[in-house]
Amino acid sequence: MTMKQWNFKLLTLFLLMLAGPLAAQQAEAPSEPTEADTLQTPFMYRYDRRLERYRRNFNSLIPQTHVMQLYGDMGLVSIGVGWDYGKREQWETNLLLGFIPKYNSDKMRLSFTLKQNYTPWSFSVSDAVSIEPLMTGMYLNTVFGHQFWTHEPDRYPKGYYGFSTRVRIHLFVGQSVTLAIPPEKRFIAKAVSAFYELSTCDLYVVSAFTNRYLKPRDYLRLSFGLRFKIL
């Protein structure tokens, strides 16, 4: 018998000697937890809870909706993401990036909108269609550009304007219709909502009260949009 064969046999025997006690320990292991296990359980349980909380908080950051909106003083078109929450998912927060064509300005501009929606009721028309008869909320909108300011520049007399040209505060009301997509036909969303909104902003409200000749079309804005529910 060669030396290589002897080495192989010795290695096999050594592994069998190690496996024997381990198998016996597993076979004779008590069903009740040992003292060491009892001491480790609270720590492991707290760790698992922290890990589960971390996963839950991280998952909550994933956007649940995609939104596209036309007009509304956000730009010609705005696209963004949103998050639903509440017992009936009646609250929704959106982040939107808008595109403003050149028109009479020197270049195209971008706007950013933080929007908060509240939908108190939803009525089912059928298994697939539901109506939200009231949507309301507010949003903050800003246009990127050095010519817009938060605090009044020194070139104007103090209190000449009295408001910021960088940030506008909007209020809106509207309605929506939601179509639930059957699971076998889903591609990019499980439900699609079409909505419209009637909005105004702080500057328009002040102008409406101080200029009686203004008509509703001068201080109200109509917008339309689609909301894709993905989660």
Side-chain angles (χ1 to χ4, degrees):
M1 185 176 294
T2 65
M3 182 64 66
K4 183 178 295 185
Q5 291 175 331
W6 271 107
N7 290 339
F8 179 77
K9 284 192 173 184
L10 289 174
L11 179 61
T12 303
L13 180 62
F14 180 74
L15 293 176
L16 290 174
M17 292 174 62
L18 286 179
L22 291 176
Q25 289 178 7
Q26 292 178 356
E28 299 174 0
S31 58
E32 297 295 329
T34 63
E35 182 179 357
D37 293 335
T38 304
L39 293 175
Q40 292 179 4
T41 297
F43 296 99
M44 295 300 295
Y45 182 64
R46 287 197 294 268
Y47 170 78
D48 290 338
R49 284 192 302 174
R50 286 196 299 268
L51 183 60
E52 180 62 26
R53 186 166 58 250
Y54 170 79
R55 288 172 175 169
R56 187 169 58 251
N57 293 337
F58 183 81
N59 289 338
S60 66
L61 298 178
I62 301 175
Q64 298 166 319
T65 60
H66 292 165
V67 183
M68 180 179 69
Q69 188 162 347
L70 302 176
Y71 313 121
D73 277 347
M74 304 177 187
L76 177 62
V77 60
S78 298
I79 57 176
V81 296
W83 295 263
D84 293 332
Y85 47 93
K87 291 183 178 179
R88 304 183 310 276
E89 295 187 344
Q90 70 273 29
W91 295 98
E92 181 184 3
T93 300
N94 293 333
L95 298 178
L96 299 157
L97 184 66
F99 301 88
I100 306 173
K102 290 172 54 175
Y103 295 128
N104 296 326
S105 61
D106 57 341
K107 59 181 179 179
M108 183 196 76
R109 301 192 182 280
L110 298 177
S111 70
F112 177 76
T113 302
L114 171 62
K115 186 180 180 185
Q116 183 65 47
N117 303 339
Y118 177 62
T119 307
W121 307 293
S122 179
F123 301 101
S124 296
V125 177
S126 66
D127 293 338
V129 179
S130 61
I131 296 177
E132 292 74 40
L134 175 63
M135 296 170 51
T136 185
M138 65 178 296
Y139 53 93
L140 304 178
N141 173 261
T142 184
V143 179
F144 298 106
H146 65 275
Q147 68 272 34
F148 301 100
W149 38 264
T150 304
H151 301 287
E152 198 171 68
D154 295 334
R155 64 178 179 270
Y156 298 112
K158 186 176 181 180
Y160 182 79
Y161 278 102
F163 58 85
S164 167
T165 62
R166 183 176 295 278
V167 179
R168 295 269 66 80
I169 303 174
H170 299 255
L171 299 175
F172 72 89
V173 294
Q175 295 177 318
S176 70
V177 177
T178 300
L179 173 65
I181 302 174
E184 66 275 9
K185 296 182 179 180
R186 292 174 184 173
F187 180 63
I188 60 173
K190 67 177 184 179
V192 179
S193 300
F195 65 87
Y196 78 89
E197 295 174 356
L198 196 63
S199 64
T200 188
C201 72
D202 50 354
L203 180 58
Y204 295 161
V205 171
V206 172
S207 300
F209 278 100
T210 56
N211 299 278
R212 298 296 182 181
Y213 62 86
L214 293 180
K215 298 180 180 180
R217 67 170 179 267
D218 296 319
Y219 52 83
L220 295 178
R221 296 292 182 267
L222 183 63
S223 61
F224 305 90
L226 293 174
R227 177 177 176 269
F228 300 91
K229 178 75 172 177
I230 59 176
L231 292 179

